[in-house]
Amino acid sequence: MQCRKDFIGKIDQCKDIIKDEEVWNKIPVVNYTPNNLLFHDQLVIYRGMVQDMLNPVLYLSQYEVKNIDTGESSVRQGQFTDALDCKDNEEAILESSATVYKERSSIYCVTVPGSNNWVEKSIRERNSANIANLQSSSACEPASSPSASENKRTLNDDEKMEEDCNESELGNTSNKRICTGKVPDVKQKAEEKKCVYNLPISERSKEILHPAVLINVYDEDLKLQINDVIEVAGFLSCDPTVINGVAESVDEDFPPASLVPRINAVHVRVLPASHNQSLQSDVLRCAETTRAELHSILSKVLLGDNLAADYLLLHLLSTVFQRKDALVLGKCCLNLSNLPKGSQYSKLLYNFLTNLVPTSHYEPMSLESLNSSKFVPKKNYETSRLESGILQMSKNTLLVLDETKMQAGQLNDRGVRNVQALTGLINFQKVDYDFQYYPVEFPMDIRVLVLSEGKSMLPSDFDVCLDYADTTPEYIEELFVEAGRFVERQSLTDTLRAYLTTVANLAYQFSDDVETKITEDFVKMRRERQKTSSQDLHNLLVLARLFSLSRGCTTLSKETWEIVQDMEEQRRLRMEK
């Protein structure tokens, strides 16, 4: 099943085959597959995040074709393709009673923002065998051949290809400028033509051959949302002229198929930020041991501060599990303050954490960055596209805000709006996208870690002042070199990654006896310290839930409740000092 023709007449059967994990992994991943191995109507997979959702369009699900020479007619299917299947001696009868119009939706996907190297490396390794098979296989005819590219007509009512080539261009390339020598690299070509891929975070997309695609979705029951991470299996609708070395002009509003391939989706999987169910029993059986290992290494990179390690560990497990009015349950924004001065400690800490979490982003809170960067996505009505911003991220991304890079100066209008956006994200886990005439609220689930030398200018749920002995930049560098050796122990690192994604998404509940104790303890706290508020209770409940899950427990015990009370008391006393 390498081509669309393999699916004709047996769509449901082939869909079921594709869903098998072993078969799925053998399909080429277009993110990392070179252009010369891609051809029209090829079955491919794309992994990315939904960056924008375009208006639905009508397409011909079924149409009648008449042979001009013989007068014979046949009915053909139009799903999973952008062109009508008509030969030179055939014509489509659009007014036929057999004609069936349906609606399909289009989504613009980009590589997952902040996807860390170890995640992308696993995808590349999985795809390497597929590339080897493509190099040695000629199962399907390339798009450059006449049978695959000539005389195609579109399925849209305006009869234009959604690619950057129209009907006449597909059959005749004489008017195009032929490139001599090597075909330009996709990335290089994009830069030369100033093509806007619309990537929220672009610095880690250098090795990705196709950082963005346009996907046509035919499943009317599929409910996708912006920022969903998906894997799509579908048929590639690529510009054949690119493979032949033909230079294309870049459309000002939307890149052509030569730069942004089109995929007609057969099956879409919304990737959960949760764990692999098959690993859950193994992870839970060793949860206590794994927690101790993770706590030990976090304590080392936090300069021996065990309390800070406790809070950072719980922060890495936090996820929003319920929203009620303005209250967001489960968020755990952490501010680590009193960081060593005159060193690259904050960046070194971030680099270490990228080895543990799938997606992350480091944002230096410098005056220049705040005043010039675009944090909030904005709707462009002239191009009908959603222009991306840094805060367009997928669920459970670790966002590290480094205030140690801040310097004296004045924020301009954009800088003020960026700080307001960060404040809204921290307090309410939402970002108001700029639709020019009105804001549109998008719920988020981002783990925000603020690093600062003093108290942060941003709000946080928990502020932990690092406690450590005097240190030097040389000692800090050596410390993280040692931490790097720890990461090289692949089996242990994989265990920690599986642990973090598994326990964070376990079901959780209270028992009646613990609820009674919580009520009694809260009354006692209010009596002993008048400043105690309902927010303090909420923070304790968040910690209690996360601490329980970190031990692989799905219910809160009295022991855990007392531990988190002690943690908060230590943190409060430290901050008062």
Side-chain angles (χ1 to χ4, degrees):
M1 293 185 302
Q2 294 190 29
C3 308
R4 178 176 171 271
K5 67 182 182 182
D6 298 329
F7 277 70
I8 297 176
K10 45 185 179 180
I11 295 294
D12 292 336
Q13 177 186 356
C14 291
K15 278 185 179 181
D16 291 336
I17 295 175
I18 282 179
K19 293 176 185 178
D20 180 81
E21 194 67 25
E22 185 176 349
V23 175
W24 186 276
N25 290 335
K26 292 181 180 179
I27 302 173
V29 181
V30 73
N31 308 54
Y32 289 107
T33 302
N35 271 345
N36 65 316
L37 298 178
L38 297 174
F39 50 83
H40 190 63
D41 276 350
Q42 178 184 15
L43 181 62
V44 296
I45 281 177
Y46 182 82
R47 181 183 184 275
M49 185 191 78
V50 179
Q51 192 274 327
D52 195 6
M53 305 186 77
L54 312 180
N55 294 328
V57 296
L58 291 177
Y59 76 98
L60 281 170
S61 176
Q62 181 178 284
Y63 56 96
E64 185 176 349
V65 173
K66 181 180 178 180
N67 188 305
I68 299 174
D69 299 332
T70 64
E72 296 179 352
S73 297
S74 60
V75 177
R76 296 177 184 172
Q77 302 300 312
Q79 273 189 320
F80 314 121
T81 183
D82 286 323
L84 301 184
D85 186 10
C86 292
K87 299 179 181 178
D88 287 338
N89 62 338
E90 293 178 336
E91 64 176 356
I93 307 174
L94 301 183
E95 298 79 16
S96 168
S97 58
T99 300
V100 176
Y101 283 94
K102 288 188 178 181
E103 192 178 83
R104 73 184 183 191
S105 58
S106 296
I107 57 176
Y108 184 76
C109 288
V110 298
T111 183
V112 181
S115 182
N116 282 320
N117 292 334
W118 62 271
V119 177
E120 297 302 320
K121 180 182 177 182
S122 67
I123 299 172
R124 290 197 303 271
E125 290 176 349
R126 186 186 84 183
N127 195 50
S128 59
N130 300 329
I131 291 179
N133 290 335
L134 286 173
Q135 290 171 335
S136 61
S137 172
S138 58
C140 291
E141 189 175 20
S144 56
S145 66
S147 62
S149 62
E150 290 183 354
N151 303 315
K152 298 284 187 182
R153 297 181 61 186
T154 67
L155 290 174
N156 293 334
D157 52 1
D158 60 359
E159 295 192 0
K160 288 185 179 179
M161 290 297 287
E162 290 183 19
E163 291 87 78
D164 191 48
C165 49
N166 58 31
E167 182 179 348
S168 60
E169 287 173 332
L170 282 172
N172 180 14
T173 62
S174 60
N175 294 325
K176 297 180 183 284
R177 180 171 61 87
I178 306 298
C179 290
T180 58
K182 186 178 178 181
V183 180
D185 178 74
V186 172
K187 281 289 199 180
Q188 179 184 348
K189 190 172 184 180
E191 292 174 0
E192 290 174 354
K193 301 293 185 178
K194 296 182 179 179
C195 169
V196 180
Y197 280 118
N198 226 4
L199 304 177
I201 303 170
S202 59
E203 69 267 16
R204 254 174 280 173
S205 62
K206 296 178 181 178
E207 297 181 4
I208 299 176
L209 300 178
H210 298 96
V213 298
L214 183 65
I215 299 172
N216 296 319
V217 179
Y218 296 84
D219 186 352
E220 296 178 358
D221 297 327
L222 182 64
K223 304 300 181 185
L224 293 175
Q225 295 179 335
I226 287 180
N227 302 338
D228 279 347
V229 177
I230 60 175
E231 273 191 344
V232 179
F235 300 111
L236 187 66
S237 181
C238 58
D239 188 345
T241 57
V242 160
I243 300 175
N244 290 332
V246 179
E248 293 289 344
S249 63
V250 176
D251 183 78
E252 184 178 352
D253 293 341
F254 203 84
S258 58
L259 295 174
V260 177
R262 277 60 164 167
I263 295 177
N264 293 289
V266 176
H267 181 61
V268 179
R269 302 198 307 194
V270 180
L271 297 183
S274 59
H275 56 282
N276 187 336
Q277 290 285 352
S278 62
L279 296 176
Q280 178 170 315
S281 58
D282 293 336
V283 170
L284 295 183
R285 186 170 58 252
C286 305
E288 288 279 11
T289 303
T290 308
R291 186 192 189 284
E293 289 273 8
L294 180 57
H295 185 274
S296 174
I297 186 62
L298 290 179
S299 177
K300 288 179 181 178
V301 297
L302 292 174
L303 307 175
D305 191 334
N306 289 322
L307 181 64
D310 275 323
Y311 277 91
L312 181 56
L313 191 155
L314 300 187
H315 169 76
L316 296 176
L317 297 177
S318 62
T319 183
V320 175
F321 63 90
Q322 188 178 349
R323 296 174 188 268
K324 189 174 182 181
D325 299 327
L327 186 62
V328 183
L329 303 178
K331 73 182 184 77
C332 178
C333 173
L334 177 63
N335 172 210
L336 292 178
S337 58
N338 193 35
L339 266 63
K341 298 181 180 180
S343 69
Q344 293 296 317
Y345 177 80
S346 54
K347 190 61 186 292
L348 292 171
L349 177 61
Y350 168 77
N351 289 339
F352 172 78
L353 294 177
T354 61
N355 296 295
L356 301 177
V357 296
T359 53
S360 63
H361 176 62
Y362 171 84
E363 185 62 33
M365 297 284 285
S366 65
L367 195 66
E368 179 184 0
S369 176
L370 288 172
N371 284 339
S372 60
S373 300
K374 186 170 74 171
F375 281 29
V376 177
K378 181 179 181 179
K379 181 70 174 182
N380 186 330
Y381 288 99
E382 293 183 1
T383 61
S384 295
R385 297 184 66 187
L386 179 65
E387 297 175 349
S388 62
I390 291 174
L391 295 185
Q392 188 171 14
M393 298 175 173
S394 60
K395 182 179 179 181
N396 290 157
T397 296
L398 174 65
L399 173 60
V400 176
L401 304 175
D402 187 1
E403 288 190 10
T404 66
K405 305 301 181 183
M406 190 173 293
Q407 61 276 97
Q410 185 173 357
L411 292 175
N412 60 20
D413 180 63
R414 169 172 281 188
V416 171
R417 284 186 279 113
N418 284 339
V419 172
Q420 289 173 343
L422 290 173
T423 301
L425 173 64
I426 292 170
N427 286 335
F428 307 107
Q429 281 294 309
K430 69 180 182 69
V431 175
D432 291 332
Y433 286 19
D434 182 5
F435 275 59
Q436 297 192 34
Y437 307 108
Y438 53 89
V440 176
E441 180 181 307
F442 280 80
M444 307 294 287
D445 189 359
I446 305 299
R447 296 161 179 160
V448 183
L449 174 63
V450 183
L451 303 178
S452 61
E453 294 176 352
K455 184 171 177 56
S456 171
M457 71 171 184
L458 296 170
S460 62
D461 298 307
F462 302 97
D463 185 358
V464 179
C465 179
L466 281 185
D467 185 16
Y468 56 92
D470 290 340
T471 186
T472 62
E474 292 75 20
Y475 171 78
I476 289 174
E477 288 185 15
E478 180 59 34
L479 178 68
F480 282 97
V481 168
E482 184 180 345
R485 298 192 191 102
F486 166 84
V487 173
E488 292 173 359
R489 298 164 57 189
Q490 191 64 46
S491 60
L492 180 56
T493 307
D494 289 342
T495 299
L496 296 181
R497 293 166 182 166
Y499 164 82
L500 287 172
T501 54
T502 299
V503 301
N505 293 278
L506 294 174
Y508 176 78
Q509 61 185 8
F510 286 103
S511 58
D512 293 338
D513 58 331
V514 175
E515 284 190 23
T516 302
K517 179 170 179 53
I518 291 173
T519 303
E520 293 173 351
D521 287 349
F522 182 60
V523 172
K524 182 180 178 182
M525 283 188 287
R526 291 288 296 268
R527 190 167 53 243
E528 293 178 349
R529 193 170 64 248
Q530 293 182 352
K531 292 183 179 180
T532 302
S533 65
S534 58
Q535 185 61 44
D536 294 321
L537 176 61
H538 172 71
N539 288 345
L540 279 171
L541 293 175
V542 169
L543 288 179
R545 174 181 177 273
L546 294 173
F547 201 97
S548 298
L549 296 180
S550 73
R551 304 173 76 175
C553 301
T554 56
T555 57
L556 176 60
S557 66
K558 292 182 179 179
E559 177 193 3
T560 299
W561 174 247
E562 291 172 354
I563 290 175
V564 297
Q565 281 185 289
D566 183 58
M567 282 175 55
E568 270 294 84
E569 182 66 16
Q570 289 185 55
R571 184 187 70 85
R572 187 181 62 82
L573 292 175
R574 184 182 292 186
M575 295 307 298
E576 288 179 355
K577 292 180 181 179

